[in-house]
Amino acid sequence: MNKRFHSVTLEASRCKGCTNCLTRCPMEAIRVRGGRAYIMDERCVDCGECIRTCSYHAKVAMTDDLGIIENFEHRIALPAPSLYGQFYHAKSIAVILEALKYIGFTDVFEVAKGADIATRLLQEELKNPDRPRPLISSACPAITRMIQIKFPTLIPNIVKVKQPMEIAATMARAEYSKKHSVSKDKIGVFFITPCAAKVTAVRNPIGQEKSEVDGVISMLDIYAGVFPILNKVSADENVKIATPYGVGWANSGGESRAANINKTMAVDGIENVAHVLEEIENGRLRDLDYFEGAACSGGCVGGPLTYENKYVARNKVMQLISDLPLERPEDAVPCRVLNSFDFMLDTPIPENYSMQLDEEVSTAMEKMERINEILESLPGYDCGSCGSPTCRSFAEDIVRGYFNITDCIFILRDRLKVMAQQMVDMSNTKRE
Amino acid sequence: MIAESFSVEKGDYLRAGEASTKMKNMLKKLGIGGSVLRRISVAAYEVEMNLVIHSLGGTLSIDLDGDYIWLVSEDIGPGIPDIESAMREGYSTADEIAQGMGFGAGMGIPNMKRNADVFEIESEPNKGTKIKMGFLMGGGKSE
């Protein structure tokens, strides 16, 4: 398993080497060299912001092809609740679930049901007075990775409940195996994802050894197969759907509404989330019980691998929710489920030291002094022409050995001016 | 030895918090993390807000000497007439603007003291206040 696997990758042949992604990466994880971008593996959190901003579609998300499901005799689709928002004309959630069976899946298990279970476990964790406040949601893997890198002091605040996707994968496999008397290894479970971060979370899990998910398929890749048949399939309208609260996890704020607690805050958009995490780190917002941050604006419905406009999708999800019978996760999730499975994260979430200048504090301090000296000589335009997102990061890159000072076009111009003057002076010298 | 200082203006709520953020980012780059960073974050923010709310302006500086990280706040007035009271939890002289923004719970100075390994405060009315806080780099007090 590649420790540094990333779903977000660069299609080098399409990259022009412009500054769109460079200056808008919230992690400052992109550099441009020799006319193309490079993603710094150790800093990228797979938020997908660059996929959205690249005008040339050079930033792509690696997902599994739909064909991967053929590897298993029994294949279960795990649709993220954000999928429901993608089909504006869908009459019900049941119809969407049914349609998935026509594109190759033998069965479907809603991730929203995993969210119902996650809600229950979250409520339990919130009852524990020894856990720090606010507890921070673990649902968005891009945010969890950002905390590992930028806000390591907040790692203890991260909720220890597994992501709904993982809970759903375990439940789907167990139920199917029991119902059809099939051995678990003959069953493949496939998450249908709105984002790249979930792909990385499956290949390279956080807080658990191994993912229960066998493959991750982009919503964009199943859209063409599902859309045309939506009005042709007839669904069993009595099929048991997740609660409106579980489905609501698709939208920003859905977790707090599901947990049914006061003193919560929901923030969407990775930059906005970073600002509020900063406040939490400063010791403000200590009266908050729960903080949910989603890297994508709008929440999962705004994921980079979704088709529908995020506002339209959010509305569609809300409309589908209003058609569901009003049922609380407390009533929908049997205690038997909570008692017979362990859905808590079991490996520690480590700090990520990729921002650190050196392992030795004293060497890091020397480097910091050099960075400050270099920074003094730079113009401070943060233009990105050098290939680094800001003048400060450029100074840091020089000290780290990635760049030379003359990669700054303004410094280069000044030096050329001096050189040109010297040449003029030399050409003017006359023989005595 | 590395030192950096930031000037903080009286009543400048637009930039309030910028200095502590910059200091925090600097410490993260130096590889300072865990409980020390957590305590410094809280103390730095409190002391910076104190400068904005109560002082006539001043500077906030950070200094590393190998053992300790020193956080020093120095202002040009008006000074704290009654330090004893200011050290007490719940005592506050924050004005209405600050209180409207959620400050003024009287936790500022006690909070700094609780988080720092070394805490010194000197103040002279009409002259100014100096707060010096030390944080042991190898860990120090736990919360």
Side-chain angles (χ1 to χ4, degrees), chain A residues 11 13 67 76 78 95 98 117 122 137-138 146 164 176 185 206 223 257 267 279 291 303 315 377 392 425 432:
Chain A
E11 196 79 69
S13 61
I76 310 175
L78 304 177
V95 165
E98 188 63 26
I117 297 172
L122 170 63
S137 167
S138 59
M146 178 169 76
Y176 190 95
D185 57 342
I206 319 170
Y223 191 82
R257 278 191 292 276
V267 178
E279 300 276 355
F291 174 79
N315 245 42
S377 69
R392 175 168 279 280
D425 290 348
E432 292 291 311

Side-chain angles (χ1 to χ4, degrees), chain A residues 150 278 282 357 396, chain B residues 1 24 28-29 38 45:
Chain A
K150 275 184 147 177
E278 185 89 46
N282 287 343
L357 292 169
E396 206 179 299
Chain B
M1 168 80 105
K24 226 161 49 179
K28 286 174 187 172
K29 300 238 164 188
R38 193 156 46 230
Y45 183 72

Side-chain angles (χ1 to χ4, degrees), chain B residues 4-128:
Chain B
E4 216 166 329
S5 73
F6 305 87
S7 76
V8 180
E9 303 282 320
K10 166 189 158 78
D12 186 357
Y13 287 97
L14 179 65
R15 282 189 295 173
E18 252 184 43
S20 35
T21 297
K22 282 182 182 160
M23 292 196 293
K24 226 161 49 179
N25 287 341
M26 178 181 132
L27 293 172
K28 286 174 187 172
K29 300 238 164 188
L30 294 178
I32 312 277
S35 129
V36 186
L37 180 62
R38 193 156 46 230
R39 291 186 288 115
I40 295 176
S41 302
V42 173
Y45 183 72
E46 289 284 6
V47 81
E48 182 178 2
M49 291 317 296
N50 256 18
L51 286 177
V52 173
I53 297 168
H54 298 289
S55 82
L56 301 172
T59 57
L60 197 55
S61 63
I62 188 158
D63 216 332
L64 284 82
D65 70 3
D67 296 323
Y68 280 91
I69 297 161
W70 295 103
L71 205 61
V72 179
S73 147
E74 263 181 291
D75 66 47
I76 53 168
I80 304 171
D82 183 0
I83 293 191
E84 292 278 300
S85 298
M87 301 281 291
R88 232 177 25 238
E89 290 187 8
Y91 179 87
S92 174
T93 57
D95 64 15
E96 271 173 44
I97 302 175
Q99 294 205 359
M101 296 177 79
F103 298 101
M107 294 301 290
I109 296 178
N111 215 356
M112 291 175 217
K113 187 161 186 261
R114 187 171 334 116
N115 282 289
D117 294 307
V118 176
F119 182 87
E120 289 164 17
I121 181 165
E122 292 164 29
S123 186
E124 215 175 303
N126 300 322
K127 268 192 92 178

Side-chain angles (χ1 to χ4, degrees), chain A residues 367-407:
Chain A
K367 288 185 178 174
M368 176 77 72
E369 278 179 62
R370 278 201 57 214
I371 290 168
N372 288 341
E373 277 166 33
I374 295 169
L375 194 58
E376 292 273 302
S377 69
L378 298 177
Y381 299 150
D382 294 341
C383 66
S385 307
C386 59
S388 201
T390 63
C391 289
R392 175 168 279 280
S393 62
F394 176 59
E396 206 179 299
D397 288 341
I398 294 174
V399 171
R400 287 182 192 266
Y402 305 154
F403 284 102
N404 290 314
I405 186 87
T406 45
D407 287 323

Side-chain angles (χ1 to χ4, degrees), chain A residues 32-36 38:
Chain A
V32 174
R33 297 234 65 174
R36 58 158 284 193
Y38 288 87

